Amino acid sequence: MRHFLNTSDLTRIEIGTVLALAKQRPEALGWPLADYGVAMIFEKPSNRTRQSMEMAVVQLGGHPVFTRGEEVGFDVRESVEDITQILAGYHAILAARVLDHAVLERMAATDSVPVVNMLSDYSHPLQSLADVLTMREEFGSLKGRTVAWVGDYNNVARSLSEACALEGAHVRLGCPLGYGASDDELSRIRSLGAATVEQTTTPHDAVRDAHAVHTDVFVSMGQEAETERRMRDFAGFQVDESMMAAADPEAIFMHCLPAHRGVEVAAEVIDGPASRVVRQAHNRMHAARGLLAFLCEVNDITKGDTQ
Ligand code: CP
Ligand code: NVA
């Protein structure tokens, strides 16, 4: 059974397949989820992920069922394993946004239903598919392009780094001391096929001549208690016009959103001509549809036209 817990669960070729499916018109995909449900459980808030996943399920002929994490109560009301195995009887796919990545791994370990990560503390692979789709639309191919990340090496950064490595890009991380990737993590990203992977604590060096500059919030969901310390530690890491000026003259700016103008990004940048954040967010739906269609195919979920 194939799950999607991390971007690196896909091979380089499979990312190409998913993104090709994402570019197809929904009706060309043959309604593989017709008469099937997709359970979507959220332990954290969401705008883009919930809306784009629900619409992707509908576009594949299926029915999304949204549930808040408190309602199912992982390991509170009943075990993660019991919840997963019961939902497997109602749904073709189970998607979840969780506080603890290990919950997704336990769901997948039941081997009862394909599991999709809609964001965990560790990774955000659906986001990375939309990011690559957006950059491919911009550059054609990411091979040999330089993708810079400025800020926290967080869930979004990890999945983006994996995706860019699989695409053969140069990955540049500009993170404050203590907020970067470990040496083991850098080696792991290198081993996925990146042209190069470099890390610096000087954000201007990370973005130098980069083709795409990405950032994210300095305080992720669940880290609110660290806000004061993080605001101090991330001083100087705002992507502003001077930082964008160090990048390639045609560089684009990207952010998974939600964004905080004046904190991790200057309003002039996110609302300026280099920004692709709206397209990036819209691509979440197309990428989700491509991924779900791919999972239907590889897991032999084939109701739709084929029956
Ligand atoms: N980028 C993203 O995942 O946004 P939401 O938290 O609104 O889903
Ligand atoms: N790193 C952020 C991403 C939100 C989409 C968080 O986890 O809150």
Side-chain angles (χ1 to χ4, degrees), residues 44 97 119-120 124 127 154-156 216-217 219-221 256-258:
K44 300 178 183 182
R97 169 168 284 199
L119 182 145
S120 70
H124 196 4
Q127 180 68 50
N154 61 13
N155 44 8
V156 174
D216 184 14
V217 292
V219 183
S220 284
M221 292 181 274
C256 62
L257 305 180

Side-chain angles (χ1 to χ4, degrees), residues 148-154 157 173-177 179-181 199-200 203 206 214-218 230 234 237-239 243 264:
W149 175 269
V150 177
D152 193 10
Y153 187 75
N154 61 13
L173 306 171
C175 313
L177 203 61
Y179 295 93
Q199 181 164 255
T200 168
H214 291 246
T215 191
D216 184 14
V217 292
F218 295 154
R230 283 176 169 265
F234 284 83
F237 280 76
Q238 181 184 111
V239 178
M243 214 181 276
E264 75 272 9

Side-chain angles (χ1 to χ4, degrees), residues 1-3 31-34 36 92-93 114 291-304 306-307:
M1 186 173 289
R2 294 289 301 274
H3 306 279
W31 322 112
L33 285 172
Y36 285 129
I93 292 172
L291 186 270
L292 293 174
F294 172 82
L295 285 180
C296 287
E297 176 74 30
V298 294
N299 289 308
D300 216 15
I301 300 165
T302 52
K303 204 137 181 178
T306 57
Q307 290 234 328

Side-chain angles (χ1 to χ4, degrees), residues 8-304:
S8 54
D9 291 347
L10 300 175
T11 64
R12 175 187 296 235
I13 288 171
E14 286 172 341
I15 288 192
T17 305
V18 167
L19 297 183
L21 289 167
K23 293 297 265 183
Q24 290 204 34
R25 295 168 62 82
E27 53 273 27
L29 297 172
W31 322 112
L33 285 172
D35 296 334
Y36 285 129
V38 173
M40 297 175 43
I41 300 173
F42 283 84
E43 288 197 294
K44 300 178 183 182
S46 171
N47 176 17
R48 282 144 289 273
T49 306
R50 176 183 176 181
Q51 303 280 339
S52 61
M53 278 287 283
E54 287 207 16
M55 289 315 301
V57 171
V58 168
Q59 290 173 349
L60 294 173
H63 181 83
V65 176
F66 169 86
T67 312
R68 288 168 63 98
E70 309 90 274
E71 281 180 66
V72 286
F74 292 127
D75 289 336
V76 176
R77 198 157 178 270
E78 55 189 321
S79 74
V80 169
E81 287 76 11
D82 282 359
I83 292 168
T84 306
Q85 289 180 89
I86 300 310
L87 290 175
Y90 311 144
H91 296 285
I93 292 172
L94 168 54
R97 169 168 284 199
V98 297
L99 296 161
D100 180 0
H101 190 79
V103 167
L104 293 167
E105 290 174 338
R106 286 170 57 197
M107 286 175 173
T110 66
D111 217 29
S112 55
V113 63
V115 176
V116 174
N117 178 1
M118 295 196 295
L119 182 145
S120 70
D121 53 332
Y122 181 76
S123 58
H124 196 4
L126 281 170
Q127 180 68 50
S128 72
L129 293 177
D131 296 347
V132 168
L133 180 58
T134 309
M135 290 188 286
R136 277 192 183 198
E137 285 172 350
E138 204 71 37
F139 308 130
S141 159
L142 276 184
K143 203 170 170 60
R145 296 282 178 166
T146 299
V147 179
W149 175 269
V150 177
D152 193 10
Y153 187 75
N154 61 13
N155 44 8
V156 174
R158 176 174 289 105
S159 295
L160 177 69
S161 298
E162 288 182 7
C164 290
L166 286 162
E167 291 280 289
H170 295 277
V171 177
R172 291 240 209 90
L173 306 171
C175 313
L177 203 61
Y179 295 93
S182 67
D183 289 344
D184 282 355
E185 176 69 359
L186 294 173
S187 306
R188 189 182 70 83
I189 300 296
R190 266 183 209 110
S191 74
L192 293 174
T196 58
V197 180
E198 293 169 294
Q199 181 164 255
T200 168
T201 52
T202 310
H204 276 82
D205 288 344
V207 302
R208 190 146 295 129
D209 302 323
H211 301 102
V213 177
H214 291 246
T215 191
D216 184 14
V217 292
F218 295 154
V219 183
S220 284
M221 292 181 274
Q223 298 174 333
E224 290 76 8
E226 301 170 25
T227 302
E228 211 180 302
R229 174 165 58 79
R230 283 176 169 265
M231 286 305 158
R232 253 194 333 268
D233 293 346
F234 284 83
F237 280 76
Q238 181 184 111
V239 178
D240 58 14
E241 285 181 312
S242 90
M243 214 181 276
M244 288 304 290
D248 183 86
E250 304 286 310
I252 58 170
F253 170 76
M254 297 179 66
H255 190 311
C256 62
L257 305 180
H260 302 91
R261 287 166 176 76
V263 184
E264 75 272 9
V265 59
E268 296 72 30
V269 172
I270 193 166
D271 300 321
S275 180
R276 296 293 182 274
V277 299
V278 174
R279 182 169 195 107
Q280 180 184 4
H282 290 171
N283 274 337
R284 289 292 308 274
M285 181 176 74
H286 306 304
R289 191 176 62 245
L291 186 270
L292 293 174
F294 172 82
L295 285 180
C296 287
E297 176 74 30
V298 294
N299 289 308
D300 216 15
I301 300 165
T302 52
K303 204 137 181 178

